[in-house]
Amino acid sequence: MSTTQSDRLRGLLEPLVAAKGLDLEEIEMSRAGKRRMLRIIVDSDEGVELDACAELSREVSDKLDETDVMGEDEYVLEVSSPGADRPLTEHRHYVRAIGRLVKFQLSAEGEKGAGELIARIIDADDEGLDLEVPGVKGRKATARRIAFTDIAKARVEIEFNRKDKKEEEA
């Protein structure tokens, strides 16, 4: 997708998405043979429900039909929330991941050097994260602080056996 088309799409769609109380995370254009796919990824602090995606999809479709931003060729429109395995790249992603286990790839410039770290995000501020590093072989968990500048990559780890906060409070 050309930068110009991407910029035009973002300018056209951001107000629609924001009006729903959502963040426009990503716009992806791909091609499979003669078919084009326009994928719009949205999110919010509370997550995104299927009904909200369906409603937004109708509004986006209507808006795109009113303009020439997609050209004359046919395309498939998909509006969805980000997958659980999406990379954490924005400050708001880390805030939304508070309480979750995250796999970090640390940069070589970091305080303790490059490497991999799996830890639970306890808090996030403008400079970095407060983490709880799980104990290994019966040891207690330890606290650690990392700066955003020390993070090369970060991705939420899927936990199948962890109780939800709501279950723990019940």
Side-chain angles (χ1 to χ4, degrees), residues 1-157:
M1 178 166 59
S2 72
T3 304
T4 307
Q5 184 182 29
S6 177
D7 292 342
R8 287 182 65 202
L9 279 168
R10 185 164 287 281
L12 188 68
L13 301 179
E14 270 184 331
L16 285 176
V17 173
K20 297 284 183 201
L22 302 172
D23 296 317
L24 179 58
E25 294 290 346
E26 198 172 341
I27 298 173
E28 300 174 356
M29 179 71 81
S30 60
R31 185 175 290 278
K34 293 181 181 182
R35 296 184 85 184
R36 292 186 304 163
M37 167 74 97
L38 174 61
R39 182 173 291 123
I40 298 167
I41 310 295
V42 295
D43 201 3
S44 79
D45 291 344
E46 295 78 36
V48 182
E49 294 190 8
L50 186 58
D51 290 344
C53 285
E55 187 177 323
L56 182 60
S57 179
R58 286 188 290 275
E59 290 182 21
V60 166
S61 179
D62 290 345
K63 184 60 102 176
L64 292 175
D65 289 347
E66 293 171 10
T67 69
D68 66 344
V69 71
M70 291 300 294
E72 296 296 319
D73 295 338
E74 290 185 18
Y75 63 93
V76 175
L77 173 63
E78 178 183 302
V79 176
S80 67
S81 61
D85 64 343
R86 70 119 180 252
L88 304 178
T89 57
E90 302 284 336
H91 183 268
R92 67 179 178 265
H93 299 164
Y94 291 100
V95 171
R96 290 174 186 161
I98 289 175
R100 306 284 306 268
L101 197 63
V102 175
K103 183 177 189 177
F104 297 94
Q105 293 292 328
L106 302 177
S107 63
E109 296 83 38
E111 176 185 320
K112 295 186 179 181
E116 187 175 282
L117 172 67
I118 296 178
R120 191 167 310 281
I121 299 177
I122 303 302
D123 197 17
D125 59 32
D126 291 341
E127 286 81 40
L129 304 170
D130 292 322
L131 307 174
E132 179 184 81
V133 181
V136 180
K137 297 183 182 176
R139 293 186 182 147
K140 289 187 176 185
T142 57
R144 181 167 175 187
R145 171 102 180 144
I146 60 172
F148 288 120
T149 55
D150 295 342
I151 301 170
K153 292 182 188 176
R155 194 176 299 268
V156 170
E157 289 284 283

